[in-house]
């Protein structure tokens, strides 16, 4: 793209956005207001970039029900014993002190799109000119017959990091030789496509390290294939021979039900009994998305590929796991990337700053065993109304040890980098 | 997602990572691998051979200039963060004002794990675990660093090594990079490369000379440096975008 076309593009978009922004200016007292719901990889990044790049010209409020955030990414490394829990938990203090973001700790219950206010669970309301919705995922509990939020206290999903992750870890650490762990892996689309299989690797690592060679992990999948499958299966064969069994639906015939009390998962093929169950249900956008009316029948939120703006409300942006982001996987990297595009467009709307063409990227690293990391990544841009991949790469089987070790080291560097980019 | 062919020559990875390390800032990766030399011990060690890893970023000897790192003439006995005109991290400047001098003892500690001895240093080098090798390197530095640096060491004289690279760098830098555009594009970089200039497993790219920056990206484009993540980002960048990124990161001050 030449300089001319890019600048031209910026001007055209800028002008269109300014028109949209006009009524907001007239209505709001003083500075334009942005409210961000959800303080994870998407929401916190958006809040930070809007506040940072507008240099005080926009009021930014970040709503999250917690005052600290445990990252789902790298929580498998906590399970595997490579990280401690504190190292994957982050506060919002720098966002407040360094960027002047107002952090509201509480749960957003609904959105009045006509009045442009967010209603909190305690009844208070927060007005906005632009709203960024980044609630991550919620579970479709009944996607696994017999599973529920209550049952997750016995058989954790641990697919939202925090107490669930610690519960899963304590259960993993209690597994004895000869016992079986059963994982029910979720159907697409779900948060972190390689996540369940990295988790299986990390659980096997822990068992193997403790010498529990007769302990076993059975994965009952709801999909015929999964992310980085060849790489994981190669690694399982190499490091954890005989410890991991993976069953596709075509083999087990479908998951009928779970009984977390009895520790059983019944499929068409058989009833599997485990000392520990890890049930990861189907997923949808966090509840506030549906409450705001920006989710469609899929449970997720359609967006404009060039801006992350909701197709249902021009004043609302939806980013991260809750959005339908075309070819992009639901990952922290994706959410962080989408947040920057959304932040730029929010600023364009409200303070007429320059808007450049959207570019997105993602890389997902997974650890299979100590110093054996693999990665998959892609670069994306809007095409035909969707976010499409321009170019992709994936680690190959039979790679040199040194390259796999470098991948792992790179992922550790990335973690430090991205949490700094998210939380300041 | 489609797999991209990984064109790795069947010679050992160690070998090409050595090449890579000599060519650029990705020495962090080299050190992880021990760069063949260290890992195998097959080649005789001496300080000069060990310095090859440092050479990617540091000049030493008659007329040395600052590159990605400061010149190392007079390094043994020099106060930390004291080369005029070099853009140090805040941490390194503070170390200097706290009285840290690069004597043998401090160099031994620093080179073992730079990020531990001076947290916040921009030096993206993981460290040399082998005490004997560190001692050899420092002994060699002591001798080699007695030369006089360039009169104006701050003026970088970075010359890209190949004609192709040189002409690419010239073409890109012939247009003035727009730092504002660069700042937006940089959103993609700072997910991994910290904007503060801190290097913890991923090299710092803050404050790099523009020609060095452009040349490094050229090497990712052309597979001289092999990193799939970097290649993916770079092949989708046009010249204007590379110039904009170089302008933006070149202007940033580490902190």
């Amino acid at each position: 793209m030449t300089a001319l076309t890019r600048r031209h593009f910026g001007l055209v978009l800028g002008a269109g956005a300014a028109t949209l922004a006009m009524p907001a200016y007239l209505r709001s007292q003083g500075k334009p207001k942005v409210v961000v719901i959800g303080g994870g990889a998407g929401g916190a990044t958006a809040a930070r970039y809007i506040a940072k790049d507008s240099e005080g010209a926009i009021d930014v409020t970040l709503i999250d029900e917690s005052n600290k955030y445990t990252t789902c990414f790298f929580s498998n490394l906590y399970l595997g014993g490579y990280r401690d829990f504190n190292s994957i938990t982050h506060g919002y203090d720098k966002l407040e002190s360094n960027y002047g973001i107002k952090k509201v700790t509480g749960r957003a219950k609904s959105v009045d799109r006509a009045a442009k206010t967010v209603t909190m669970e305690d009844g208070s309301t927060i007005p906005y000119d632009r709203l960024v919705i980044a609630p991550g995922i919620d579970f479709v509990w009944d996607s696994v017959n017999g599973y529920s939020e209550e049952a997750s206290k016995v058989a954790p999903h641990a697919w939202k990091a925090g107490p669930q992750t610690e519960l899963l870890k304590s259960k993993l650490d209690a597994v004895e030789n000869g016992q079986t762990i059963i994982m029910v892996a979720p159907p697409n689309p779900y948060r972190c496509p390689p996540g369940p299989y990295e988790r299986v690797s990390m659980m096997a690592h822990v068992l193997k390290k403790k010498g529990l060679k007769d302990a076993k992990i059975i994965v009952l999948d709801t999909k015929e294939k999964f992310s980085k499958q060849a790489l994981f299966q190669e690694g399982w064969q190499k490091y954890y021979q005989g410890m991991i069994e993976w069953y596709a639906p075509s083999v087990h015939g479908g998951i009928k039900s779970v009984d977390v009390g009895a520790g059983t998962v019944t499929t068409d093929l058989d009833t599997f009994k485990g000392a520990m169950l890890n049930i990861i249900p189907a997923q949808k956008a966090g509840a506030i998305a549906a409450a705001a009316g920006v989710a469609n029948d899929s449970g997720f939120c359609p967006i404009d590929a060039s801006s992350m703006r909701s197709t249902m409300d021009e004043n609302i942006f939806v980013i991260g796991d809750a959005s339908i982001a075309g070819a992009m996987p639901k990952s922290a990297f994706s959410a962080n990337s989408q947040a920057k595009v959304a932040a730029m467009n929010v600023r364009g709307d409200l303070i007429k700053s320059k808007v450049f063409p959207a570019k997105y990227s993602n890389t997902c690293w997974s650890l299979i065993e100590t110093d054996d990391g693999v990665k998959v990544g892609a670069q994306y841009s809007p095409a035909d109304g969707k976010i499409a991949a321009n170019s992709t790469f994936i680690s190959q089987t039979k790679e040199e040890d040194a390259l796999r070790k470098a991948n792992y080291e790179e992922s550790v560097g990335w973690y430090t980098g991205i949490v700094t980019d998210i939380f300041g | 997602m489609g797999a991209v062919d990984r064109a790795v020559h069947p010679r050992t990875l160690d070998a090409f990572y050595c090449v890579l390390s000599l060519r650029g800032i990705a020495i962090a990766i080299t050190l992880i691998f021990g760069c063949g030399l260290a890992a195998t011990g097959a080649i005789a060690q001496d300080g000069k051979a060990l310095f090859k890893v440092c050479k990617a970023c540091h000049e030493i000897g008659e007329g040395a200039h600052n590159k990605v790192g400061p010149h190392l003439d007079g390094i043994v006995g020099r106060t930390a963060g004291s080369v005029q005109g070099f853009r140090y991290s805040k941490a390194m400047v503070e170390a200097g004002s706290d009285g840290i001098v690069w004597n043998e003892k401090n160099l031994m500690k620093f080179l073992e794990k730079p990020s531990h001895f001076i947290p916040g240093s921009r030096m993206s080098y993981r460290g040399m675990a082998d005490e004997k090798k560190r001692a050899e390197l420092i002994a060699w530095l002591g001798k080699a660093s007695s030369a006089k640096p360039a009169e104006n060491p701050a003026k970088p004289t970075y010359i890209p090594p190949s004609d192709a690279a040189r002409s690419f760098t010239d073409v890109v830098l012939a247009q003035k990079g727009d730092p504002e555009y660069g700042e937006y594009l940089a959103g993609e970089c700072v997910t991994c490369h910290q904007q503060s200039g801190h290097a913890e497993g991923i090299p710092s790219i803050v404050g790099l000379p523009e020609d060095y920056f452009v040349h490094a990206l050229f090497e990712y484009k052309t597979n001289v440096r092999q990193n799939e993540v970097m290649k993916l980002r770079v092949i989708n960048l046009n010249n204007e975008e590379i110039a904009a990124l170089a302008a933006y990161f070149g202007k940033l001050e580490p902190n």
Side-chain angles (χ1 to χ4, degrees), chain A residues 6 340 363 392 400 402 410, chain B residues 2 4 13 33 187 227 233 240:
Chain A
R6 174 176 60 75
K340 290 166 189 173
T363 307
T392 64
E400 298 272 344
E410 187 176 74
Chain B
V4 173
L13 278 168
F33 299 159
N227 180 300
R233 307 300 175 237
E240 184 206 4

Side-chain angles (χ1 to χ4, degrees), chain A residues 1 6 49 336 340 356-357 359 361 363 378-379 391-393 399-400 402-403 406 409-410 413-414 417-418, chain B residues 2 4 6 13 17 32-33 126 181 184 187-188 190-192 194 200 202 227 232-233 236 238 240-241:
Chain A
M1 196 182 296
R6 174 176 60 75
Y49 271 74
N336 171 267
K340 290 166 189 173
F356 297 107
K359 285 184 115 169
S361 56
T363 307
Q379 195 84 6
S391 36
T392 64
F393 75 86
E399 282 172 336
E400 298 272 344
L403 182 56
E409 297 284 349
E410 187 176 74
W414 163 77
I418 195 171
Chain B
V4 173
R6 179 182 289 277
L13 278 168
Y17 275 102
I32 299 159
F33 299 159
R126 291 199 154 261
Y181 187 38
Y184 163 62
E188 195 165 73
V190 299
T191 299
C192 298
Q194 295 183 48
E200 289 152 80
I202 304 258
N227 180 300
L232 194 61
R233 307 300 175 237
N236 289 298
N238 63 31
E240 184 206 4
E241 291 167 331

Side-chain angles (χ1 to χ4, degrees), chain B residues 2-34:
Chain B
V4 173
D5 277 344
R6 179 182 289 277
V8 173
H9 195 272
R11 270 180 301 165
T12 69
L13 278 168
D14 271 350
F16 84 64
Y17 275 102
C18 278
V19 171
L20 174 152
S21 77
L22 294 176
R23 297 240 180 197
I25 53 172
I27 48 175
I29 297 170
T30 313
L31 263 293
I32 299 159
F33 299 159

Side-chain angles (χ1 to χ4, degrees), chain B residues 236-251:
Chain B
N236 289 298
L237 291 174
N238 63 31
N239 291 357
E240 184 206 4
E241 291 167 331
I242 291 176
L245 281 167
Y248 172 69
F249 280 109
K251 279 198 176 67

Side-chain angles (χ1 to χ4, degrees), chain A residues 401-419:
Chain A
D401 293 350
L403 182 56
R404 293 295 182 84
K405 187 174 178 189
N407 287 344
Y408 172 63
E409 297 284 349
E410 187 176 74
S411 75
V412 173
W414 163 77
Y415 185 85
T416 314
I418 195 171
V419 296

Side-chain angles (χ1 to χ4, degrees), chain B residues 201-220:
Chain B
I202 304 258
S204 165
I205 56 172
V206 164
L208 290 181
E210 288 187 33
D211 50 358
Y212 182 90
F213 188 100
V214 172
H215 176 239
L217 294 195
F218 175 77
E219 292 195 330
Y220 284 114

